[in-house]
Amino acid sequence: MNAMKYQLVLQLPASSLKDYDEMIEFEATIIKHLGGVGVVDAHDMGSGETNIFILTDEPKLSFERIEAFLGTKDFMVNLKAAFREIGVNNFTILHPPNLKHFTVA
């Protein structure tokens, strides 16, 4: 398999063990539904947020698939999503559309 070109990052606020457990469950759901458009690479939690890192050649399609199976889950209002080319620091924001700045702490 060739190396993927982009890193998609899904970010949620988090501050407790319950948040960590929910992130692990969310990650398992992503793995189950993402199909061949991406691979969950890693996750982390700290500085008040959790991040799930997905390697993909098609970040927009990957996020569309994630949105489709998440539907109207409560945490969608708090979800931030952005992607960057591997090796590049600048993110392209996917969600929410009005977000002006995205960083990974």
Side-chain angles (χ1 to χ4, degrees):
M1 182 177 171
N2 292 340
M4 301 276 184
K5 187 174 179 178
Y6 297 98
Q7 179 186 56
L8 171 62
V9 182
L10 306 176
Q11 190 174 86
L12 287 162
S15 58
S16 68
L17 188 56
K18 179 178 180 281
D19 292 331
Y20 182 81
D21 291 342
E22 288 174 356
M23 184 263 300
I24 295 298
E25 185 178 320
F26 180 39
E27 183 179 60
T29 303
I30 292 168
I31 291 168
K32 181 178 174 185
H33 291 92
L34 198 54
V37 298
V39 177
V40 173
D41 182 49
H43 63 259
D44 69 16
M45 181 172 173
S47 301
E49 66 192 32
T50 62
N51 297 294
I52 297 175
F53 302 96
I54 299 167
L55 299 178
T56 180
D57 285 328
E58 301 181 64
K60 291 178 183 175
L61 177 60
S62 296
F63 184 67
E64 286 169 8
R65 285 208 181 162
I66 291 165
E67 273 188 312
F69 66 75
L70 290 179
T72 58
K73 299 249 189 232
D74 292 342
F75 58 75
M76 278 300 290
V77 296
N78 295 318
L79 179 72
K80 296 177 186 174
F83 69 92
R84 63 182 168 188
E85 192 169 342
I86 301 293
V88 176
N89 289 329
N90 296 337
F91 282 95
T92 299
I93 295 167
L94 296 174
H95 184 82
N98 61 347
L99 186 67
K100 300 290 185 229
H101 186 68
F102 184 93
T103 59
V104 175

